[in-house]
Amino acid sequence: TLPEKKMVFKGLVTNKEDMNKLMLTPLIRYPLLGGSALITFEKAEVAQRIIEVKEHMVELSYGEELEELDRCRVRVQAAPVDLLLPSALEIGLTRSSRSILMSGLPSLGIPEEALLDKLELFFSKTKNGGGEVESRELLDDSGQVVLTFAQDGVAEPLIARGHIQVLIGKGKYELKISPCMSGDITNLQLQPSRCPRTVLLSGIPDVLGEDPMRDTLEIHFQKASRGGGEVDALAYVPLGR
C-alpha cells in the first residue's frame, strides 16, 4: 500500500490495456576489474568501430611526469559490454493476517524508538482495538510503520476502520491503517543486452596517475583520425583497485 499523497494530474491518458503494467528501470551494478575502463561515446557507430579494431596503441603524452621519455605507448584491448537485464518480472503478493500498515505519521521530532514505543503502547491496549504487539518496524523509504500483533483477529477490525485517532504525548493524530502486503519474486527472466555506445578497455598498465590516465584515454579516443569520436562518459579503475 502506497502512502497517500495529494497530486495534480497533468499527463496524458493512456490506453486501458496498458494500466496493469509495471515499468522497471534496472539499477545496474557492473564489476569493473583494475586496469580497465568503461568509455561511452555519443554515437553507437564510434563504439562499434573501436570494438572492431580490438587492440589500440595509446600514446601517453599527458602531464610532465613522462617528459624524459621521447615516446611512450601502452597497448589496450577493446571489447563490447554485455549485461544481463530483466525482461520479465512477476511478484506474488501475500496479505498478512496479523500486521497493519500505518501512514500519515506526524513529525514530532522524537527518536524513532520513542515513536515506536508510543505506538506499541497505544495499540497494545484492547480498549483501543489492539492487542499484544509482537514486532514493530519503521519503513525508512516511506515513513510508514508496520505493527504485527501476536494473535489473529486483531489486525482485520483495525484495517476495516481505515483510520484511527492515536494519542501520542499530548496530541491526538489521525493515522491511516491499511493492509500489510509482502511480495516475493515468483518469476524473473533475464536476457543478454549489449550496450550500444559503451566499450570496455582492458589491460591498462598502472603507469600514470588516475586523473592523467583518464584524460589520456579520453583525448586518444576522441580523435576521429584514430576512429574515435565525442566521448559522453569515461570511468577508469587503476590496477589494484
Side-chain angles (χ1 to χ4, degrees), residues 37-139:
L38 286 175
I39 182 166
T40 301
F41 296 95
E42 286 187 357
K43 294 181 180 176
E45 55 264 32
V46 176
Q48 194 54 43
R49 282 202 304 267
I50 297 297
I51 290 165
E52 283 171 1
V53 175
K54 291 183 181 176
E55 195 168 85
H56 297 263
M57 296 292 287
V58 179
E59 192 167 322
L60 303 180
S61 57
Y62 185 90
E64 298 175 5
E65 54 194 282
L66 292 170
E67 262 187 357
E68 70 276 8
L69 301 172
D70 291 325
R71 291 181 89 102
C72 181
R73 294 193 184 100
V74 295
R75 186 182 285 113
V76 299
Q77 282 72 44
V81 179
D82 292 314
L83 301 169
L84 279 176
L85 295 182
S87 58
L89 173 69
E90 290 177 15
I91 299 175
L93 293 175
T94 310
R95 179 168 167 165
S96 172
S97 62
R98 292 187 178 182
S99 299
I100 60 171
L101 184 74
M102 285 183 289
S103 51
L105 290 161
S107 179
L108 300 174
I110 61 174
E112 178 184 315
E113 283 300 311
L115 176 63
L116 292 174
D117 286 343
K118 290 178 186 296
L119 290 171
E120 182 176 344
L121 183 63
F122 180 88
F123 282 98
S124 63
K125 294 176 181 175
T126 51
K127 68 175 184 179
N128 295 329
E132 185 187 342
V133 175
E134 190 177 84
S135 66
R136 73 270 175 97
E137 181 189 2
L138 180 68
L139 306 178

Side-chain angles (χ1 to χ4, degrees), residues 154-173:
V154 181
E156 286 305 323
L158 288 169
I159 291 166
R161 286 170 67 176
H163 291 83
I164 190 169
Q165 290 265 344
V166 176
L167 189 66
I168 304 176
K170 294 179 180 177
K172 269 193 176 181
Y173 305 93

